[in-house]
Amino acid sequence: MGTRSLSSTANCRPPGSAQNALRLQTSPHNVSEMQRDLQASPQMTSTGYTVPSLLQLNDDVLALILRQLNLYEQFELAQLHSRLESIRQTLWRTRVQNVLLWGEMFAISPPKPRHFLAFIQALVPHMEHLCLQNIDVRKLRLLSGLKLPAVHTLEWLGLPTYRGRLVDEDVRLLQRVFPSLRTLKLRSCRITGKYLGEFPLLTELSLDDCHHLDSEHFREIFRQLRLRKFDIMEDCDEVNCCDLVDVQQCLTLEHIKIADYHLCMEEGITQDLLRMPALHKLSIYSKNFVFDVLERIARHGNGNDGGKVIDGFRFSGTPHNFERLFRELGNLRHLRRLAVDGCCSLAGNDVECITDYMLLELSQKLPELCELRFSGCELESYRGLLHFVVNCRQLRLLDITRSRRIGDSFVWRCLELLVKQKWRTQPLELWIRQSDIDNNIVQNPRFIPNDKLLKIDSRSLTHNMEQLSGVLKFTFVR
Amino acid sequence: MADTQKLVSLRTCDNVLHKVPEHLTLQMRTIRNLLSCKIFSDTDTVIPLPNVSSQMLEFVIKWCEAIGPGDKALGSMQLSTLLTATLPDLEESELVYDLMKAANYLEIESLLEATTQHVADEINNCNSLESVCELFGLENDIGPDDEEGEWW
């Protein structure tokens, strides 16, 4: 028999066979299915045309259709038939713990207030996390009569226009409607912070683009709340910002994200921050004072004066002075994890790069390094990296994702060194995705016998590649 | 040249026998599971498809040829475009419903996703609930919503 394409389907129709055989056979088993079919029988339109009914589909397929619609469309469609309503309820029972509502959902057919409330009330039994994005603030005010204690996370991502902006009184409303909030994120609001201290269970507070914040209220916030995470890093510009010098009074804080101008980064403040008992991560956005911030933190980050020991540091962006950056990093003596993202010369400046000498000095000062990441960096040559292989005996991960001027020679020189390091108990991992090392090097006969010394990974992605430029992130030994 | 392609015999509900290349039937989980049973592993055995008509099976096979073997991770937009390109006759909703039923019975995930997305897009294109009812032959058995309040 010759090969055929679909047509490779051979129709062997027996003579006299019915074109449209009955699909259902009558048996007690499928009586209910027949009843459903009768219910789902085609509807006649005004023009006399018979419209086949959507309800002829079984519940599984109807559920799949509903899942392709947004939550409000699901709710609206379910209002049209009790079967759809029952499917909607089953879907929501397991699928709406995290709810995202955005303005455009309601743009085409704006709901009446009662209808919007009915929609929210239908969500209530299942919802734990609610994110409201670009929603008219008047819709939020419609909820004033409700109490939603099951919601523990709320994000309000407002419109930058007047109608989207939440004000102080709305914060009070949030406190009444969502009494059990543990995480609150507010973006694009016109609030002073006056009522932010009234969420007794709050552990995470994030404020972004919230103009009119008043320093005075933060004293109360940091005294009253037992926050674990506080993020105000992307709040507003350095001229219109509030002073958060009282942040150190919130002793439960584990993670702080701020900008240098929130603290003025005076010596005393830096020391106090590093004495906060629970602090594990500190992220500081600094536009013009990167080296000052780094110097002040590094000075107290070796555990000498009762402060914390810094064991991880990440910097993203291009510093004005490469040499100074690496010199300051050398002061973080107990560093175990170092990541530098996007450290390359500015446009039109081909001269500046991370030199071999800078890396030699750094490798000698940071003998405890375990993980080293240079992603998207411009190096003088591969030789600088070799110093870390020689001087850092605990180094187990070297990530050079998107970095340039390294080349295959690095792998061969690295292998020569690793062969001699008899004390190594595990292979060195080398991440080379989008670098100038050939991905096929792992198939090279010269490499294959040594894959127990060096594990090359060309797939793993360096996380947080799109970090805000100019952020210094410190992690401390717990 | 001798033909080495294995064919699987499928009998549709309208009593038509189709001989379909095995590699296409492997995209249908229901058939794949049956073929793994000893009783159906002999390709001479005819597999009955009581819920699929001959016309729908032909649509399904066109789809399987278009989507190709393996679990290609296509986005819903790509699936939707492929559906329109492969099966341009799917203008009538009756056909879409029958195809969804066939895809559901044969467990072809990509086709189910494409067809359900097709219907969801049509729902999205309606500008009122009345037009949804009209287009999809729905008769409200819950009762009308009371008129009240302002819109914005």
Side-chain angles (χ1 to χ4, degrees):
Chain A
M1 195 165 70
T3 317
R4 301 156 74 182
S5 58
L6 157 56
S7 3
S8 55
T9 306
N11 281 3
C12 311
R13 197 186 299 276
S17 70
Q19 287 272 345
N20 296 305
L22 263 181
R23 290 186 192 121
L24 279 173
Q25 291 163 3
T26 319
S27 73
H29 177 68
N30 49 30
V31 165
S32 60
E33 231 172 296
M34 285 181 70
Q35 283 169 340
R36 181 182 289 177
D37 261 30
L38 281 174
Q39 251 189 354
S41 59
Q43 305 295 312
M44 296 287 280
T45 65
S46 49
T47 56
Y49 171 70
T50 309
V51 181
S53 172
L54 185 72
L55 298 174
Q56 67 182 271
L57 299 169
N58 69 24
D59 285 4
D60 290 343
V61 179
L62 288 174
L64 284 173
I65 295 172
L66 247 69
R67 279 171 56 178
Q68 312 266 21
L69 302 170
N70 72 43
L71 285 177
Y72 185 62
E73 287 165 345
Q74 290 178 16
F75 176 75
E76 282 209 306
L77 194 67
Q79 302 298 299
L80 297 178
H81 199 275
S82 52
R83 238 183 100 204
L84 295 172
E85 172 60 11
S86 151
I87 294 168
R88 195 274 301 160
Q89 283 179 11
T90 312
L91 270 184
W92 283 19
R93 210 165 289 141
T94 52
R95 289 185 177 268
V96 296
Q97 277 95 347
N98 298 329
V99 173
L100 166 66
L101 306 181
W102 64 98
E104 291 77 10
M105 271 172 102
F106 309 102
I108 296 172
S109 123
K112 298 166 197 168
R114 198 168 70 91
H115 205 194
F116 180 72
L117 272 178
F119 168 56
I120 296 292
Q121 276 173 323
L123 287 167
V124 166
H126 323 287
M127 183 167 62
E128 292 172 6
H129 179 147
L130 175 61
C131 177
L132 301 166
Q133 188 175 346
N134 299 346
I135 300 270
D136 188 321
V137 75
R138 290 177 299 174
K139 277 204 177 58
L140 178 73
R141 290 171 190 157
L142 284 175
L143 308 183
S144 65
L146 299 180
K147 198 157 224 173
L148 314 178
V151 178
H152 56 71
T153 301
L154 178 74
E155 292 181 60
W156 174 265
L157 311 177
L159 283 163
T161 58
Y162 178 76
R163 281 188 173 174
R165 290 208 181 246
L166 202 117
V167 295
D168 279 341
E169 280 306 315
D170 297 316
V171 177
R172 294 191 91 178
L173 178 147
L174 292 180
Q175 199 274 327
R176 284 196 310 273
V177 177
F178 305 99
S180 313
L181 280 188
R182 288 195 284 265
T183 302
L184 176 62
K185 178 172 185 167
L186 299 175
R187 188 167 82 195
S188 296
C189 300
R190 289 160 53 89
I191 54 171
T192 60
K194 193 174 175 185
Y195 300 114
L196 285 173
E198 294 183 7
F199 293 87
L201 303 176
L202 207 63
T203 56
E204 282 191 35
L205 176 61
S206 176
L207 302 168
D208 181 5
D209 187 28
C210 291
H211 296 277
H212 302 93
L213 289 173
D214 187 336
S215 310
E216 207 151 290
H217 300 307
F218 278 95
R219 197 165 301 135
E220 292 307 305
I221 291 169
F222 294 130
R223 275 186 195 149
Q224 288 175 18
L225 298 181
R226 296 174 62 80
L227 292 175
R228 294 175 66 186
K229 183 177 176 183
F230 177 62
D231 179 359
I232 196 170
M233 194 163 70
E234 294 177 60
D235 168 42
C236 52
D237 59 67
E238 55 205 286
V239 180
N240 301 308
C241 79
C242 54
D243 184 351
L244 297 177
V245 74
D246 292 309
V247 68
Q248 53 191 286
Q249 296 195 25
C250 188
L251 300 179
T252 47
L253 272 170
E254 294 171 12
H255 189 179
I256 302 175
K257 294 174 82 174
I258 44 171
D260 57 1
Y261 44 79
H262 284 128
L263 298 173
C264 309
M265 293 316 287
E266 288 167 16
E267 193 80 18
I269 294 170
T270 313
Q271 251 175 302
D272 291 340
L273 273 180
L274 296 183
R275 287 206 181 100
M276 291 177 72
L279 194 67
H280 175 55
K281 286 184 193 169
L282 175 63
S283 302
I284 302 173
Y285 169 66
S286 185
K287 208 170 174 181
N288 300 314
F289 304 103
V290 171
F291 302 123
D292 295 328
V293 173
L294 187 54
E295 188 187 342
R296 281 173 191 166
I297 301 272
R299 197 173 299 161
H300 304 287
N302 288 318
N304 298 334
D305 45 4
K308 297 194 168 292
V309 177
I310 298 166
D311 79 337
F313 175 76
R314 174 186 285 267
F315 177 74
S316 50
T318 304
H320 300 301
N321 184 336
F322 283 34
E323 198 184 343
R324 179 147 183 221
L325 174 74
F326 284 88
R327 201 171 59 237
E328 296 296 348
L329 287 178
N331 293 324
L332 304 173
R333 299 280 174 165
H334 300 292
L335 213 57
R336 291 168 59 80
R337 289 172 291 117
L338 170 63
V340 181
D341 301 326
C343 198
C344 53
S345 58
L346 296 165
N349 177 5
D350 292 333
V351 184
E352 191 140 42
C353 65
I354 302 172
T355 65
D356 294 343
Y357 185 70
M358 290 175 200
L359 296 185
L360 166 66
E361 282 207 311
L362 192 63
S363 69
Q364 288 168 340
K365 288 177 181 168
L366 305 179
E368 295 173 30
L369 268 188
C370 295
E371 288 181 20
L372 177 63
R373 298 172 190 269
F374 284 114
S375 53
C377 294
E378 207 159 318
L379 306 181
E380 182 186 349
S381 79
Y382 68 83
R383 289 179 191 84
L385 291 176
L386 285 176
H387 296 303
F388 289 95
V389 181
V390 173
N391 294 324
C392 307
R393 289 174 70 113
Q394 295 169 57
L395 191 69
R396 57 173 183 78
L397 173 67
L398 184 51
D399 175 4
I400 47 171
T401 302
R402 295 181 294 120
S403 287
R404 318 303 296 172
R405 297 195 205 165
I406 300 166
D408 294 0
S409 309
F410 172 67
V411 173
W412 308 128
R413 290 284 294 118
C414 196
L415 275 175
E416 284 171 26
L417 289 170
L418 291 171
V419 167
K420 292 175 195 159
Q421 295 180 346
K422 302 291 181 198
W423 40 266
R424 273 195 181 273
T425 53
Q426 53 182 342
L428 175 66
E429 270 186 56
L430 179 65
W431 292 10
I432 60 166
R433 189 183 168 106
Q434 293 174 18
S435 72
D436 53 7
I437 295 178
D438 182 5
N439 285 350
N440 295 322
I441 201 164
V442 285
Q443 267 107 45
N444 190 311
R446 195 174 151 202
F447 175 78
I448 292 169
N450 296 304
D451 62 354
K452 286 195 173 60
L453 296 171
L454 188 63
K455 205 169 135 194
I456 294 183
D457 191 333
S458 56
R459 289 167 300 166
S460 291
L461 258 180
T462 302
H463 60 281
N464 289 337
M465 281 168 71
E466 300 302 325
Q467 279 211 61
L468 183 67
S469 182
V471 175
L472 301 99
K473 185 174 176 180
F474 302 88
T475 55
F476 307 103
V477 175
R478 278 184 194 270
Chain B
M1 202 168 107
D3 182 17
T4 53
Q5 191 172 37
K6 268 173 87 175
L7 296 173
V8 176
S9 303
L10 305 175
R11 189 180 297 282
T12 50
C13 66
D14 41 4
N15 208 19
V16 181
L17 185 67
H18 298 253
K19 289 205 179 272
V20 184
E22 189 187 32
H23 72 271
L24 294 178
T25 62
L26 292 178
Q27 292 181 49
M28 311 168 195
R29 193 182 298 163
T30 305
I31 307 293
R32 198 167 66 217
N33 291 344
L34 284 174
L35 289 176
S36 65
C37 299
K38 211 171 180 185
I39 189 169
F40 288 107
S41 58
D42 178 1
T43 48
D44 289 338
T45 311
V46 176
I47 299 175
L49 301 177
N51 294 341
V52 183
S53 70
S54 181
Q55 185 192 15
M56 283 309 122
L57 187 63
E58 286 183 14
F59 273 133
V60 163
I61 289 167
K62 268 193 204 173
W63 175 263
C64 290
E65 281 180 336
I67 200 98
D71 291 326
K72 269 190 210 166
L74 294 180
S76 54
M77 279 292 284
Q78 289 165 298
L79 285 172
S80 197
T81 314
L82 192 63
L83 184 72
T84 328
T86 318
L87 311 170
D89 309 334
L90 278 182
E91 287 300 314
E92 290 173 35
S93 45
E94 182 76 56
L95 282 183
V96 182
Y97 297 157
D98 284 347
L99 189 57
M100 285 165 127
K101 287 183 214 168
N104 187 43
Y105 177 71
L106 295 168
E107 291 188 68
I108 308 168
E109 261 175 54
S110 58
L111 183 55
L112 250 184
E113 200 185 327
T115 46
T116 50
Q117 182 66 56
H118 178 83
V119 173
D121 289 345
E122 286 193 337
I123 293 172
N124 269 324
N125 290 337
C126 293
N127 47 22
S128 69
L129 288 178
E130 290 72 29
S131 50
V132 174
C133 287
E134 204 165 302
L135 186 64
F136 294 97
L138 294 171
E139 202 174 327
N140 193 328
D141 70 344
I142 294 177
D145 194 14
D146 297 335
E147 291 295 319
E148 58 89 44
E150 60 177 35
W151 290 52
W152 64 70

